[in-house]
Amino acid sequence: MATADLPGPDSLLRRTLGEWRIGLVAWRLLVLQTADPAVAAGMRDFSTYRAHPWRRIEHTMDSGKRLFFSDREGLRREVARLERTHRRLAGTDEQGRPFTASDPAVRVWVLVTLYECMTAMRELSGHPLAPPELEQMYAEFRAVCSEFGLSDDLFPATAADVPAYMDRTIRERLEYSEPVRYLLFDMLREAPAPRRLGPLKPAWPLMRTAAAQVIGALTVADLPEAFRERFGLLRTRRAALLSFILHRTMRVLMNALPEHRRYRTPPAGAALTPQPSTASTASADHSSTPAARPVRFPVPRRRKGADSRSARLRTFFHQVLDQTGDGRISSADLQAMAHNVCWPLELAAEREAPVYAAFETWWQQLRTGMDADGDGQVTCEEFITAMLTGIDSGPAYLEQGLHVAVRAVFHAVDTDGSGHLCADEYRRVFGGSRVHLAELNHGFRQLDHDGDGRITEDEFVQAFTDYFTARTDNTAGSQLLGRP
């Protein structure tokens, strides 16, 4: 497809995709995409959606912003970043079939389902797009997709061909796998509280049960008829009524809202690239918008005087290392950690590669010293036992693995190349969904020994060393995320 002008602020695509009500079909989109066997295998082996569902969803939404609300330079950066990420996602599924996220047919399916869900949102609301509008939005959509360099033959030729493409793919290629079932019926029942829930967090166990029932029923009701028929999913009358009420109510509400309230992402787009910190942001008490959250290092509460290393390592294993949430760590978990460092920073390829290489170095050290049965995975007990043994053997143990990764993180987050981290850059490393800004500021002050509003690389590395080696919780390093 020849290069065409990208959709602008007045485009039908941006106005449709940017509306808040797109969230009503978000779960439908995830289910359709995950039903592709290659996507399901990639999610099973590499994705953090079980352990960190909200972060995973936010990354997906951020990628959509970068793709569909950027200028051409921003779009090309995001496409290149996605291609680098997808090249790392390959393997063999549970049936022994090879898969890769770089498969062009899989990538086209993931893209086309996004367009189809936008049209479905309009149709379900009782105000479907007219055929000329469908063709207009599809042309705008294809203008963005052209930057992926995928063959035109893999895409439906026109908007009118999309329904047949969806029906054929559903019947010939999609599968009702465990990740699909989990998304439909279990994921929300197990999800931790979203970070913006605030004082309502104690009520989350009850809220998520109700949310799981509503979203599950709505998703099944809204899935394409061919999908429900093939996999035996029943669209009950109650679910159909729920869909009718929600979609039409949201349409009326969106149309009644003023323009600036209607959109989650304004059609004009927004600056997404983090700006390098300057001297004016160096104060740890400076209040700013919380940055993205690549890595979290929680501190367990322990009674004073007790050796807190084992508890701290256990917490670190489950909440930081085990990114895929399966109770074990493997190369995929360390790769996910590297991804979570690089993603919000929008690093170029030459700055991203050292981060991935450093985390792979750390994984090789962990695997060599901890994987007793040679299965390519490390359990929590293996991690704690081997880590304590290695720490007690001498400082070289951390220097060969952990320090390599930590230094790579430091250089990646030091966006202005100043050789130190200011408060904003520190928050970019440690800010997490369960970490209050005041605690981050406290942690920063603990590590900023001379009070000059910045942390050097040596101070940064020493903090991680203390976190892993301190026997009590009263050292600065044990307070990376605040008070123990």
Side-chain angles (χ1 to χ4, degrees):
M1 182 176 180
T3 301
D5 291 339
L6 294 178
D10 294 327
S11 64
L12 189 55
L13 183 143
R14 283 196 180 187
R15 290 189 172 277
T16 303
L17 186 58
E19 280 195 16
W20 281 102
R21 60 177 169 144
I22 197 70
L24 290 177
V25 293
W27 223 258
R28 177 188 187 275
L29 172 64
L30 289 174
V31 169
L32 286 173
Q33 292 177 343
T34 305
D36 185 286
V39 177
M43 289 185 70
R44 183 201 66 198
D45 292 348
F46 297 99
S47 178
T48 62
Y49 75 106
R50 286 181 182 265
H52 306 283
W54 305 120
R55 184 182 67 198
R56 183 67 188 85
I57 291 171
E58 286 181 7
H59 280 194
T60 300
M61 292 190 295
D62 286 345
S63 182
K65 288 181 186 178
R66 296 171 183 176
L67 290 173
F68 293 97
F69 293 85
S70 297
D71 57 19
R72 196 171 297 278
E73 181 183 354
L75 167 60
R76 288 175 174 171
R77 283 199 307 268
E78 182 60 15
V79 169
R81 185 165 29 252
L82 288 172
E83 289 179 346
R84 293 196 300 271
T85 299
H86 289 159
R87 281 196 295 268
R88 300 183 180 101
L89 308 183
T92 304
D93 68 13
E94 291 181 325
Q95 299 182 37
R97 299 172 297 188
F99 73 88
T100 172
S102 297
D103 184 337
V106 175
R107 299 174 72 191
V108 168
W109 170 250
V110 170
L111 289 168
V112 173
T113 51
L114 176 59
Y115 165 81
E116 189 273 343
C117 277
M118 286 189 284
T119 65
M121 179 190 79
R122 293 292 300 266
E123 185 172 347
L124 289 164
S125 73
H127 191 243
L129 294 170
E133 292 175 315
L134 289 171
E135 293 298 343
Q136 175 188 338
M137 190 165 74
Y138 191 60
E140 295 167 350
F141 171 78
R142 289 295 310 277
V144 175
C145 293
S146 66
E147 292 295 338
F148 283 86
L150 299 165
S151 172
D152 288 348
D153 294 338
L154 294 174
F155 287 90
T158 67
D161 296 315
V162 171
Y165 166 84
M166 294 291 299
D167 189 80
R168 182 174 64 254
T169 305
I170 288 171
R171 298 184 186 281
E172 295 179 0
R173 195 167 85 223
L174 301 194
E175 297 176 359
Y176 189 75
S177 58
E178 171 57 23
V180 173
R181 188 205 62 77
Y182 183 77
L183 278 172
L184 274 174
F185 302 114
D186 288 338
M187 182 170 168
L188 284 173
R189 298 179 189 277
E190 301 175 3
R195 66 188 179 93
R196 293 187 176 92
L197 207 55
L200 294 178
K201 280 187 178 181
W204 174 244
L206 294 177
M207 294 170 62
R208 69 183 176 186
T209 299
Q213 292 175 344
V214 170
I215 293 176
L218 177 68
T219 302
V220 171
D222 291 350
L223 282 166
E225 184 177 356
F227 191 97
R228 295 197 307 270
E229 287 181 354
R230 182 174 182 202
F231 301 119
L233 298 172
L234 180 63
R235 187 178 194 256
T236 65
R237 290 184 178 181
R238 181 177 297 181
L241 179 61
L242 173 69
S243 174
F244 182 91
I245 292 173
L246 285 178
H247 283 287
R248 281 162 174 76
T249 299
M250 282 296 290
R251 187 194 81 198
V252 173
L253 177 61
M254 291 296 103
N255 290 337
L257 287 175
E259 190 85 353
H260 67 284
R261 298 287 187 185
R262 182 174 179 175
Y263 297 101
R264 181 186 185 276
T265 304
L272 295 169
T273 304
Q275 298 300 314
S277 300
T278 63
S280 64
T281 62
S283 171
D285 293 317
H286 178 71
S287 178
S288 65
T289 301
R293 303 164 310 286
V295 191
R296 296 187 289 115
F297 294 90
V299 179
R301 298 185 181 276
R302 299 285 292 172
R303 62 185 179 84
K304 293 183 178 180
D307 187 340
S308 59
R309 291 183 303 170
S310 293
R312 202 182 298 125
L313 289 172
R314 186 178 302 278
T315 305
F316 183 89
F317 180 93
H318 287 296
Q319 296 193 24
V320 178
L321 281 177
D322 185 14
Q323 292 284 307
T324 55
D326 60 0
R328 296 171 177 268
I329 57 173
S330 66
S331 178
D333 294 286
L334 276 293
Q335 178 177 302
M337 290 180 68
H339 171 82
N340 291 329
V341 171
C342 298
W343 180 268
L345 299 173
E346 298 195 58
L347 298 180
E350 62 271 15
R351 294 194 63 205
E352 184 181 89
V355 178
Y356 278 92
F359 276 87
E360 179 61 22
T361 296
W362 188 16
W363 162 245
Q364 291 302 328
Q365 186 208 32
L366 295 176
R367 181 188 62 80
T368 302
M370 302 178 187
D371 183 15
D373 55 7
D375 65 350
Q377 297 180 320
V378 173
T379 67
C380 182
E381 297 308 320
E382 288 174 333
F383 172 74
I384 293 173
T385 300
M387 185 62 73
L388 290 176
T389 301
I391 289 171
D392 290 339
S393 69
Y397 180 76
L398 294 182
E399 292 171 1
Q400 295 166 2
L402 173 69
H403 287 183
V404 176
V406 169
R407 292 185 187 278
V409 170
F410 180 93
H411 290 293
V413 180
D414 180 19
T415 54
D416 59 1
S418 64
H420 61 258
L421 302 186
C422 67
D424 281 353
E425 290 171 324
Y426 178 85
R427 283 191 285 265
R428 201 175 301 283
V429 181
F430 293 108
S433 59
R434 302 177 188 176
V435 185
H436 193 278
L437 185 61
E439 290 298 293
L440 290 173
N441 290 339
H442 171 79
F444 183 91
R445 287 192 295 269
Q446 291 293 312
L447 304 188
D448 180 19
H449 298 299
D450 56 8
D452 64 352
R454 58 189 188 178
I455 298 172
T456 66
E457 182 177 351
D458 288 342
E459 288 174 326
F460 191 67
V461 173
Q462 187 59 48
F464 279 84
T465 302
D466 292 345
Y467 182 89
F468 277 79
T469 61
R471 293 179 178 272
T472 63
D473 291 331
N474 57 5
T475 63
S478 68
Q479 301 183 41
L480 283 173
L481 281 188
R483 303 165 182 83

